[in-house]
Amino acid sequence: MANSDDKQLLSQIASNQKRQRGGLILTPILFFIAMGIIMAGISTIQSGNTALGICIILVGIVAFILSAKYLEHLSDQKNKMKELVGQSVVREILAERIAIEQYNPNQYFNRDFLEHCSILPNYDRSSGSDYISGTYRGVPITYCDLHLEVEQESTDSDGNTTTSYYTVFRGPVINLALRQPLNGYVRIRERRNPRKEKGFFSGIINGAADLFNIDRNTVETENAQFNQQFKVDTSDPQLAFYILTPQFMEHIVQADMIVNGYTNIEFNQGIVTLALNNGTDAFELGKYKKNDQFLEEARQRFRYELNSILSIVDEMLTKENLF
């Protein structure tokens, strides 16, 4: 049975999600009513009654503004829910494994980082959540869930142009601080794999791998299987071979098995970045179900997600001469 704190939290969650459901129904209704009123006003003007038509159009514009405001309110309710669950539930789960310095459920890495991270694809629109900063096993770590999309325009046979957005990246991004800065960079990018082209990845825009800022400074290791799975770019081949020992390459392959998606890693100066394109968005509550165990089940799911993420980090931390 849920304790008193959980009962109060469940009540807040149920109330918030009820308002969100109401908003999802009411917003499109208001929008279509507004459009109908505006069209009626235009029709009235065309029939010769200009003054009345203008008044009707003004009413439609007001209804349209109300629709937009309600949509904004809906987004605010969603953010409040994320903040509530994050600070009340997710934070305590994170604190079991990570010494947290900062946790912001509705934030993610800033635009400057996204623009300069070479292992992330080019994008037109970004969103994210669960920004975490702290220390794990003595190593400074930052984390967020990230969603990147590109814009595509298409024109039909009548010349009408429509704009759509396609996902090119969705998953966790993790930064780990090195003990000593490296003099250069090593980037490890997973090659496209037909066996992974299903589910989430079937919806990724064709050629998304080509959206990376790939340079020509590639090297190959002595591990043919690793070379087949990953492409390695580096500013210094000796640095690449210093990092990519036979044992560490095995750990990268093991980490990729946990990722269950595409694994991209960059060693650059004093930071190691992991961009794990696996279609996941961790620490999300989902739809409320009237169940006393709902929060406890969510906590168990969040623990599983955290342990999966940190098991990938653990594979990186086997490179003890760097951390």
Side-chain angles (χ1 to χ4, degrees):
M1 182 175 291
N3 59 40
S4 58
D5 290 339
D6 277 4
K7 286 181 179 179
Q8 183 178 2
L9 182 56
L10 284 169
S11 176
Q12 290 176 280
I13 290 169
S15 176
N16 182 287
Q17 291 200 352
K18 184 178 181 179
R19 287 194 295 271
Q20 288 190 54
R21 287 193 299 273
L24 288 172
I25 296 170
L26 186 57
T27 300
I29 292 174
L30 283 173
F31 175 79
F32 285 115
I33 289 174
M35 293 302 296
I37 294 172
I38 291 172
M39 293 301 294
I42 293 172
S43 178
T44 302
I45 291 173
Q46 290 173 341
S47 67
N49 197 338
T50 304
L52 179 60
I54 291 173
C55 291
I56 293 173
I57 289 174
L58 290 175
V59 172
I61 291 172
V62 171
F64 186 81
I65 292 171
L66 287 174
S67 174
K69 287 290 185 181
Y70 209 89
L71 185 62
E72 183 180 334
H73 174 71
L74 188 63
S75 176
D76 183 58
Q77 288 296 318
K78 184 178 179 181
N79 289 338
K80 284 182 178 179
M81 168 65 78
K82 180 68 177 175
E83 185 72 22
L84 174 66
V85 174
Q87 298 298 350
S88 302
V89 181
V90 177
R91 189 182 186 97
E92 68 179 23
I93 302 301
L94 297 174
E96 294 174 358
R97 303 286 309 275
I98 300 172
I100 300 173
E101 295 176 3
Q102 184 180 359
Y103 173 54
N104 294 306
N106 285 305
Q107 293 185 16
Y108 58 104
F109 289 137
N110 60 43
R111 189 175 182 85
D112 183 65
F113 171 82
L114 300 183
E115 295 290 343
H116 291 91
C117 183
S118 298
I119 58 171
L120 287 174
N122 297 328
Y123 68 96
D124 296 305
R125 187 167 71 178
S126 67
S127 59
S129 61
D130 293 302
Y131 176 84
I132 303 163
S133 175
T135 305
Y136 173 66
R137 291 178 53 186
V139 177
I141 181 174
T142 53
Y143 168 98
C144 81
D145 288 312
L146 183 65
H147 186 198
L148 301 178
E149 298 170 287
V150 294
E151 179 183 300
Q152 275 201 338
E153 289 188 350
S154 59
T155 305
D156 62 22
S157 57
D158 295 326
N160 299 314
T161 300
T162 57
T163 301
S164 303
Y165 286 90
Y166 294 87
T167 294
V168 290
F169 182 94
R170 186 166 193 160
V173 178
I174 306 165
N175 286 333
L176 302 170
L178 296 173
R179 189 169 54 200
Q180 294 292 335
L182 300 171
N183 187 22
Y185 68 83
V186 177
R187 297 172 187 141
I188 304 157
R189 300 183 177 92
E190 188 165 5
R191 302 179 190 272
R192 292 188 73 86
N193 184 340
R195 289 183 292 111
K196 293 186 177 182
E197 301 305 310
K198 59 182 180 179
F200 160 73
F201 299 102
S202 65
I204 290 185
I205 183 173
N206 290 333
D210 298 329
L211 296 174
F212 286 101
N213 299 314
I214 297 177
D215 59 32
R216 300 175 182 273
N217 301 321
T218 60
V219 296
E220 290 197 346
T221 70
E222 295 181 355
N223 187 325
Q225 183 178 357
F226 186 87
N227 295 335
Q228 186 176 8
Q229 185 174 356
F230 296 97
K231 178 178 180 179
V232 179
D233 303 305
T234 182
S235 59
D236 180 358
Q238 288 187 338
L239 177 62
F241 295 129
Y242 170 71
I243 292 173
L244 294 174
T245 61
Q247 295 83 2
F248 191 57
M249 284 189 284
E250 290 180 7
H251 286 290
I252 292 175
V253 172
Q254 180 61 36
D256 179 65
M257 293 176 64
I258 302 169
V259 170
N260 193 28
Y262 284 98
T263 300
N264 299 285
I265 306 168
E266 180 179 45
F267 293 80
N268 193 351
Q269 303 300 320
I271 299 291
V272 178
T273 299
L274 292 83
L276 311 176
N277 196 2
N278 60 4
T280 63
D281 186 6
F283 313 124
E284 295 299 321
L285 184 66
K287 185 178 179 180
Y288 170 68
K289 298 177 182 178
K290 199 170 183 180
N291 175 4
D292 286 345
Q293 296 302 310
F294 178 74
L295 281 181
E296 189 55 39
E297 291 170 0
R299 289 186 179 99
Q300 293 302 322
R301 186 172 71 254
F302 295 159
R303 284 191 182 95
Y304 174 81
E305 291 171 342
L306 177 63
N307 290 338
S308 295
I309 292 163
L310 293 181
S311 63
I312 297 165
V313 174
D314 288 337
E315 298 293 341
M316 296 298 102
L317 296 185
T318 59
K319 194 69 177 174
E320 294 180 356
N321 59 330
L322 295 180
F323 295 100

